Amino acid sequence: MDAIFIPQLTKAPERTEEFQVNESLPGLETLTPVRGTVCVKHQGNYLEISGQAETIITCTCNRCLQQYNQRLAVNTTEIIWLDANADQLEDLPLEREVPIEDLVETVSPDGYFYPSEWLYEQICLAIPQSQLCDRNCSGILNTNANGAEDIVDSRWAALKSLKNQLPEV
C-alpha cells in the first residue's frame, strides 16, 4: 500500500480512498498474507480510518511452549486528528506528565498517511497477550518415569546440601 498524500485526499471522490489488502506486512511474520480492506476518509480536521483484515500467525503457548496457529481478525475504526504541529520534534524531557486530552493520534495536514503502518499497528494490538494453545493446557509435564531423583546441575550442589540440613516443615 502506498502512502497517501493528505492534501490530495481532499480531491478524491467523496474525500475517500479505499485499499484492498492482500500482502505481507514488513516486520510481521504471518503464515498467510494479510487480507482485507482499509478505508481512509478526510473529514476536514481529522482522518477517519477504518479497516477489516485477517491473517494467521504462529504463537508459542506460554504454558507448554508448543507452537500453534492463531487466526487474527481486525475490525476497527480510528480518528486521527490533523495538526500542523504534528511533525515537529520537540525537545521534551524523558519523563513528563501528559494530560488525557493529549493522548490522541495526530498527523500533519500537509503530510502523508501510511495505511500499511496503521494496519501493522492494529494487527499487533490484536495479538493475544496470554498465548495458550488450549484453555485446559496443563503446561510442561515432568516426565521422570522411574521416580529417580532429578539430575541436578553440579553448580547447585552446595545449595542442595544446605537444603538437606534444614528441618522439614
Side-chain angles (χ1 to χ4, degrees), residues 93-119:
L94 292 176
E95 293 184 24
R96 71 177 181 136
E97 191 168 329
V98 179
I100 193 78
E101 57 270 3
D102 286 349
L103 295 176
V104 294
E105 211 48 57
T106 59
V107 68
S108 172
D110 298 322
Y112 288 87
F113 174 73
Y114 299 92
S116 58
E117 288 180 14
W118 181 83
L119 189 56

Side-chain angles (χ1 to χ4, degrees), residues 19 27 35 39 47 51 70 77 89 131 146 152 161 166 168:
F19 298 94
R35 293 184 181 99
C39 180
L47 298 177
Q70 174 79 41
T77 301
L89 296 176
Q131 297 180 5
N146 60 4
V152 177
S161 66
L166 295 175
E168 289 194 31

Side-chain angles (χ1 to χ4, degrees), residues 29-31 56-60 66-70 131:
E29 293 183 28
T30 59
L31 296 175
I56 299 174
I57 63 169
T58 300
C59 296
T60 302
Q66 295 294 322
Q67 290 191 333
Y68 66 98
N69 295 338
Q70 174 79 41
Q131 297 180 5

